[in-house]
Amino acid sequence: RFTSTLKGIAMFKARRQKVFAKMQDNSIAILSAAPMQHRNSDTEHPYRQDSHFLYLTGFDESFAIAVLIKQGN
């Protein structure tokens, strides 16, 4: 699932902009989604995304990577 409403997209973009404001120029932040949690060899727990990843991206899928690159100026 991905929050794709215009309001949602603007909200997540604004959150990422706050992260960019705290990053140094020419730096990178790599965020990974939460992994699937296995109860035993053939059963998985219901998936729950990492709160920080979801807050910044709105993306609720496992095995995802978000790369934030802040270039100079």
Side-chain angles (χ1 to χ4, degrees), residues 36-63:
M36 297 292 292
Q37 297 295 320
H38 298 278
R39 184 182 318 212
N40 54 40
S41 62
D42 62 352
T43 304
E44 296 174 343
H45 288 285
Y47 183 70
R48 182 182 182 284
Q49 183 59 277
D50 175 78
S51 297
H52 301 292
F53 189 88
L54 187 61
Y55 180 82
L56 291 174
T57 66
F59 196 66
D60 194 25
E61 296 291 332
S62 61
F63 302 108

Side-chain angles (χ1 to χ4, degrees), residues 2-14 16 57-58:
F2 179 74
T3 304
S4 61
T5 64
L6 290 178
K7 183 178 179 181
I9 291 171
M11 176 181 63
F12 294 115
K13 182 178 179 179
R16 288 190 299 273
T57 66

Side-chain angles (χ1 to χ4, degrees), residues 1-27:
R1 291 180 307 165
F2 179 74
T3 304
S4 61
T5 64
L6 290 178
K7 183 178 179 181
I9 291 171
M11 176 181 63
F12 294 115
K13 182 178 179 179
R15 290 175 179 175
R16 288 190 299 273
Q17 292 299 329
K18 289 180 182 179
V19 173
F20 281 123
K22 294 182 180 189
M23 293 172 65
Q24 295 181 5
D25 287 349
N26 302 313
S27 63

